[in-house]
């Protein structure tokens, strides 16, 4: 069955430190992968996506992610975290089901940024 | 581009009443819209997928008669929570997907609606 695993429920980093959020997926076909960010009480904002091509993708707000097929991973990184990055981060994979595609979300990683 | 709105952003209703939530794609035609439910500190759970002009497809365990979905046009889908009870209190998020190119594989999310049933 298709699934997305985010092993880290909660991460705390210092402002200015680097960040890596882990994401592993299980899907038989070529995956379409996404990272979304959600601030409290808000909807989801797309940070970046991978469809094909270069396995290192750049997104908004200085985020990047690397697709590693051999590890079934799509980890999100940022070299220097800002206090405004504190939020919940969701990894998702697009699943093809007949006439439509669905997104399967991971359980999310809550990022706290300390001064 | 690809903006999705939801209305209302929050609503409080009494137990036993019904409440309707609207989801609109503002600058593109959304052949498919999705409705999610999110409990506090949890991930998004897909409730149903709706295609314009046809019946919604509900995920396993979601009550069709309780959560009525209508996708009457290419820019509007509605979710009606019928005979709401306190356990229906949640954050409901919709998303929309286009019908060509990159829009076919991406979902654009609305800001969510906080429903509280008293």
């Amino acid at each position: 069955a298709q699934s997305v695993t985010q092993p880290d429920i909660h991460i705390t980093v210092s402002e200015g430190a680097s960040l890596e959020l882990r994401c592993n997926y299980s899907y038989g076909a070529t995956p379409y992968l996404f990272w979304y960010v959600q601030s409290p009480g808000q909807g989801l904002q797309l940070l970046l996506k991978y469809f094909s091509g270069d396995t290192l993708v750049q997104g908004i707000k200085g985020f990047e992610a690397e697709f590693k097929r051999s590890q079934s991973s799509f980890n999100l990184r940022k070299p220097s975290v800002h206090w405004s990055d504190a939020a919940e981060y969701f990894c998702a994979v697009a699943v093809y089901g007949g006439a439509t595609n669905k997104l399967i979300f991971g359980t999310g990683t809550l990022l706290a940024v300390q001064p | 581009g690809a903006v999705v709105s939801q209305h209302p952003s929050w609503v409080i209703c009494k137990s036993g009443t019904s409440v309707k939530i609207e989801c609109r794609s503002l600058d593109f035609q959304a052949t498919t819209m999705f409705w999610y439910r999110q409990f506090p500190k949890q991930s998004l759970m897909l409730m149903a997928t709706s295609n314009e002009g046809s019946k919604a497809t509900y995920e396993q365990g979601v009550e069709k008669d309780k959560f009525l979905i209508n996708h009457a046009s290419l820019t509007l889908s509605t979710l009606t929570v019928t005979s709401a009870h306190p356990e229906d209190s949640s954050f409901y998020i919709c998303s929309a997907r286009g019908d060509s190119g990159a829009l076919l594989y991406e979902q654009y999310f609305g800001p969510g609606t906080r429903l509280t049933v008293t």
Side-chain angles (χ1 to χ4, degrees), chain A residues 32 34 36 38 41-46 49 51 88 90 94 96 99-103 105-108 110, chain B residues 32 34 36 38 41-44 46 49 51 59 91 93 97 102 104-112 114:
Chain A
Y32 284 12
F34 305 82
Y36 290 90
Q38 183 182 34
Q42 302 294 316
L44 274 68
Q45 181 182 23
L46 178 67
K49 60 184 182 287
F51 285 359
E88 183 103 35
F90 293 97
Y96 314 118
T100 190
N101 305 323
K102 300 192 290 188
L103 284 179
F105 285 89
T107 50
L110 182 62
Chain B
T32 305
F34 303 84
Y36 295 85
Q38 186 179 31
K41 302 187 186 301
Q42 294 189 27
S43 188
L44 281 74
L46 179 64
T49 302
N51 291 291
E59 296 297 302
F91 193 55
I93 304 176
R97 195 191 74 201
L104 190 61
Y105 297 104
E106 287 189 43
Q107 292 183 27
Y108 300 90
F109 287 83
R114 171 74 59 194

Side-chain angles (χ1 to χ4, degrees), chain A residues 10-13 19 21 81 85-89 109-113:
Chain A
H10 186 270
I11 283 182
T12 300
V13 299
L19 170 71
L21 302 183
V81 171
D85 293 324
E88 183 103 35
Y89 292 81
T109 298
L110 182 62
L111 173 65
V113 180

